[in-house]
Amino acid sequence: MMMPLLPEVPVADKAAAVDAVAAIAVEFGRDDLANRLVVAAARVRRPATIVCVVGEFKQGKSSLINAMLGLDVCPVDDDIATSATTLLRFGDEPSVVVRRRRGDGVTVERVDPATLADWVTEGGNPDNSRGVERVDITLPHPLLANGLVIVDTPGMGGLGAGHAAATLSFLPFADGLIFVSDASSELSAPEVEFLASATGLCPNVVFALAKIDLYPSWRRIETINARLLHDQADAPVVVPVSSVLTPTGSELPDEKLVEMSGVATLLARIDSQIVSPAKAVAAQRALHEALGAVRQMKSALETELDVLDNPSHLAEIVARLTESTAHLEQLRGPGARWSIVVADRLSDLSSNTGHQFRGAMRSVSRDIEAGIELLKTPDDWDQLARQLQTSVADAVTKVFVEIEGGAQSTRHAVVDLIGEDSGDDLSASTRSVQVELASMWTSRGIDALGKRGTRQLSSALVGLRGAQGGIMMFGMMATFLPAGAAALLMSNPITISIGAAFAGVQLADARKRKIAQRRQQARSNVRQFLDDVQFAVGNEIGDALRDVQRSIRDEFTGRISELLRTYAETAQTAQRAATEHGEFAQQRVVALGASLERLSLAERSLARSSAE
């Protein structure tokens, strides 16, 4: 079967330019610079681009992903639905890795790809009884070869339940979103509300109007949806798609059917709106790193040439290099200013985010408690639970966005400080704090009896018991009356009315008890959920901050080590150059001139490419 691919985009010249600088670094014996540039060029060719596919249950999300890949990867069936988040990424060999919670810990295990449905579907894993947090699938597929990571999310059942909350929390760290809704009807109010929230967190949103092959009036639905989204800022473009026409057209083969499916249009939109911008960001960073490497190598050669032309400058040059090396050694030590700055800033960030999150949780708790006081029915609880999860998701999102902003601010501060101390231009990398929050909401109800029919039967039995009690009471009273009066009393409609009154009293009392029980159960559910969230998010905050600290430490320690090597080797070549004389010195001057010209050309080319 033919597989639809992203539009063919030639590898950017920027990646080739970085590769060229890496090759020059190898020639000059700077394997440390070359290794870093090889990684940077790889990021240009395959930037990690995360795209979430979201929507309500049975809208065709998994079928659409299969159509995009041209493979039956995600399980699809009328009776099952995706129950766990699934990540599809590139890999040399197909594999499935399951991450799930067991007890107080998390286990990661590799499973047979043939058993995937047992882990990610409602049929194989009802109500996520296996505690699956995520499933990672790797495929040697051309669509994923550019670094695209597709996230298949569980259906969100009204887009206000826990899965929607978890998705909104993840969006600030995703590069794009594919929202799927089928053409059977226009967008619901929760879907419109979700899209408004999603576009605020992740501007790169594509709307896939699915199953157009099943609904002849899909164009009318498309028009209505566009009108519903018209007032939203950055409203997503609607792309009509059919997941059935793509494989059918590929098997016949019929290019017209493949084109009508709209999948190629969707892939083109993903490329232009999500993948290409990610490549552009990676390319700018790689060019900046390559430019810094060229300037380091160029500075070393210029110093050697200066000594060859003016041996009297040796003492001054060596003194300057020695002083710079001493500064860098201080920067590498545990008491370095930049290290203290990182520790202080992250300590403040930890305190601020922790305080912010605890305050948000207290505010959520107060709001929900006020709602519980008015709660009467399970439907009231469903609405309150939706409000609770949405509020918590918003609070969690804000905390981790704050962490990411603080991390970038800290990194830029270190760049300025090290650049000031070392006299070199260091670039700040742009790494995202990857946050993954498992859904901690597990369908907590407030009625022990559960289903509505059972609740109605229970109420009827309470009423019957009340009526029976009232009639029995008056029956006992009748034994003290004359026989005629007793017979009249027991046969009179008044007796039945009295029994009904007693039944009403019993029902009213039972209803009050039931409402009190529901409110108590609701409070218990809220406390448990908020406790779970605060425990899990507290750990996530700590892990995220530690990862940020390690990232900054490793990044800048590596850059300082590169500069130390540059200064040390420059000092050695300068001293060696001072001893050269005659014909060899002249040959070395010519060779250095050629190398400097080569590096200057590379510098100008990189600067020009970076400015484009």
Side-chain angles (χ1 to χ4, degrees):
M1 179 169 57
M2 295 185 298
M3 294 180 292
L5 304 177
L6 288 175
E8 193 65 32
V9 178
V11 176
D13 292 338
K14 297 176 181 180
V18 176
D19 278 334
V21 176
I24 294 173
V26 170
E27 290 180 27
F28 288 0
R30 292 303 304 269
D31 54 301
D32 54 340
L33 297 176
N35 291 338
R36 179 157 58 86
L37 295 179
V38 167
V39 172
R43 282 198 303 267
V44 176
R45 294 187 173 90
R46 190 188 294 175
T49 310
I50 300 174
V51 176
C52 292
V53 182
V54 303
E56 293 196 14
F57 285 114
K58 308 310 295 176
Q59 296 297 300
K61 300 186 299 298
S62 298
S63 298
L64 179 59
I65 292 173
N66 290 342
M68 291 166 60
L69 294 169
L71 298 171
D72 292 331
V73 179
C74 300
V76 176
D77 191 272
D78 291 337
D79 298 324
I80 61 177
T82 304
S83 64
T85 299
T86 306
L87 273 70
L88 296 97
R89 64 178 82 237
F90 183 83
D92 294 329
E93 297 292 337
S95 70
V96 176
V97 175
V98 175
R99 174 188 172 95
R100 60 176 175 146
R101 187 166 295 280
R102 302 182 69 178
D104 294 332
V106 175
T107 62
V108 179
E109 53 189 294
R110 189 172 182 135
V111 302
D112 184 351
T115 66
L116 179 62
D118 296 335
W119 298 96
V120 302
T121 67
E122 278 295 323
N125 183 24
D127 295 325
N128 196 15
S129 57
R130 293 187 167 191
V132 177
E133 288 190 350
R134 192 182 78 208
V135 175
D136 288 350
I137 301 175
T138 61
L139 293 170
H141 195 284
L143 178 63
L144 309 175
N146 282 333
L148 180 65
V149 179
I150 301 175
V151 184
D152 185 13
T153 63
M156 292 182 286
L159 290 168
H163 291 313
T167 301
L168 287 172
S169 297
F170 182 77
L171 284 183
F173 310 101
D175 298 284
L177 171 72
I178 302 175
F179 181 83
V180 182
S181 182
D182 68 31
S184 61
S185 62
E186 65 269 19
L187 290 171
S188 64
E191 286 179 309
V192 174
E193 180 182 350
F194 176 86
L195 275 171
S197 300
T199 52
L201 295 170
C202 178
N204 295 323
V205 178
V206 179
F207 181 178
L209 183 65
K211 302 182 183 180
I212 59 173
D213 55 293
L214 295 179
Y215 303 103
S217 60
W218 65 264
R219 290 180 178 83
R220 183 178 65 84
I221 299 300
E222 180 184 15
T223 302
I224 295 173
N225 287 341
R227 189 164 59 246
L228 289 172
L229 300 174
H230 180 266
D231 294 335
Q232 288 189 10
D234 300 318
V237 175
V238 180
V239 180
V241 293
S242 167
S243 302
V244 174
L245 294 181
T246 299
T248 302
S250 298
E251 289 169 4
L252 286 178
D254 188 334
E255 291 296 330
K256 185 66 175 177
L257 282 180
V258 173
E259 181 182 353
M260 289 172 59
S261 73
V263 173
T265 303
L266 178 65
L267 290 173
R269 176 70 61 176
I270 294 170
D271 177 70
S272 62
Q273 194 168 327
I274 301 172
V275 177
S276 293
K279 282 187 175 183
V281 171
Q284 282 299 108
R285 177 184 169 190
L287 289 172
H288 199 93
E289 292 187 26
L291 197 57
V294 166
R295 287 169 178 168
Q296 280 193 55
M297 292 184 287
K298 187 178 176 183
S299 174
L301 296 184
E302 287 173 341
T303 300
E304 183 181 358
L305 184 60
D306 187 15
V307 172
L308 285 170
D309 289 338
N310 304 281
S312 61
H313 292 175
L314 176 62
E316 178 186 346
I317 290 172
V318 170
R320 186 174 70 246
L321 290 172
T322 301
E323 182 181 359
S324 296
T325 301
H327 276 303
L328 288 175
E329 288 290 359
Q330 291 177 358
L331 289 173
R332 193 162 62 169
R337 281 201 296 162
W338 73 272
S339 181
I340 295 172
V341 166
V342 171
D344 289 346
R345 279 179 170 257
L346 292 183
S347 176
D348 291 343
L349 185 60
S350 175
S351 177
N352 292 339
T353 53
H355 178 75
Q356 172 186 332
F357 185 63
R358 288 191 298 272
M361 291 298 98
R362 281 197 295 269
S363 177
V364 169
S365 180
R366 285 194 296 268
D367 292 343
I368 296 301
E369 179 62 32
I372 289 175
E373 290 299 321
L374 303 175
L375 184 149
K376 293 182 179 179
T377 68
D379 290 340
D380 293 341
W381 169 241
D382 290 342
Q383 294 179 8
L384 198 61
R386 176 178 299 179
Q387 176 188 336
L388 170 64
Q389 293 169 80
T390 302
S391 299
V392 168
D394 183 58
V396 172
T397 299
K398 288 179 179 177
V399 165
F400 284 103
V401 169
E402 180 75 16
I403 289 176
E404 172 62 10
Q408 293 302 326
S409 174
T410 301
R411 186 171 281 111
H412 285 295
V414 174
V415 168
D416 294 340
L417 186 60
I418 292 183
E420 173 189 322
D421 282 352
S422 67
D424 283 87
D425 178 26
L426 301 176
S427 63
S429 65
T430 53
R431 294 191 180 100
S432 293
V433 179
Q434 297 299 325
V435 180
E436 198 162 318
L437 298 175
S439 176
M440 288 165 279
W441 186 263
T442 54
S443 302
R444 297 182 172 93
I446 58 172
D447 267 342
L449 293 172
K451 296 182 180 179
R452 183 177 179 182
T454 308
R455 293 196 299 268
Q456 291 175 339
L457 175 61
S458 175
S459 298
L461 290 175
V462 169
L464 287 174
R465 283 197 296 269
Q468 183 185 32
I471 294 173
M472 287 179 63
M473 180 184 297
F474 277 87
M476 291 175 62
M477 292 174 60
T479 61
F480 298 99
L481 297 175
L488 179 63
L489 181 62
M490 293 303 296
S491 63
N492 199 302
I494 296 176
T495 306
I496 300 175
S497 299
I498 292 172
F502 268 80
V505 170
Q506 289 277 35
L507 283 172
D509 289 342
R511 190 176 299 111
K512 289 179 182 178
R513 288 195 300 271
K514 178 61 70 177
I515 289 174
Q517 290 172 358
R518 286 170 175 167
R519 290 174 179 174
Q520 184 59 36
Q521 185 61 48
R523 291 187 183 95
S524 177
N525 290 349
V526 170
R527 280 196 301 271
Q528 182 179 347
F529 178 58
L530 292 181
D531 285 347
D532 290 346
V533 168
Q534 291 188 74
F535 177 77
V537 173
N539 288 338
E540 291 282 356
I541 289 174
D543 290 344
L545 291 170
R546 282 190 292 273
D547 288 345
V548 168
Q549 187 165 15
R550 292 190 189 103
S551 172
I552 294 175
R553 179 198 63 198
D554 294 345
E555 178 182 356
F556 291 106
T557 298
R559 299 301 297 275
I560 290 169
S561 296
E562 289 175 3
L563 287 171
L564 278 170
R565 178 173 173 178
T566 298
Y567 292 156
E569 292 184 0
T570 300
Q572 291 174 2
T573 55
Q575 290 172 339
R576 187 169 56 248
T579 64
E580 303 293 349
H581 301 285
E583 183 179 350
F584 184 82
Q586 291 299 320
Q587 292 175 351
R588 183 59 182 163
V589 167
V590 173
L592 286 172
S595 296
L596 283 170
E597 178 61 24
R598 185 180 177 190
L599 288 172
S600 295
L601 286 172
E603 182 180 20
R604 288 194 293 270
S605 176
L606 290 169
R608 186 167 54 251
S609 297
S610 183
E612 290 177 354

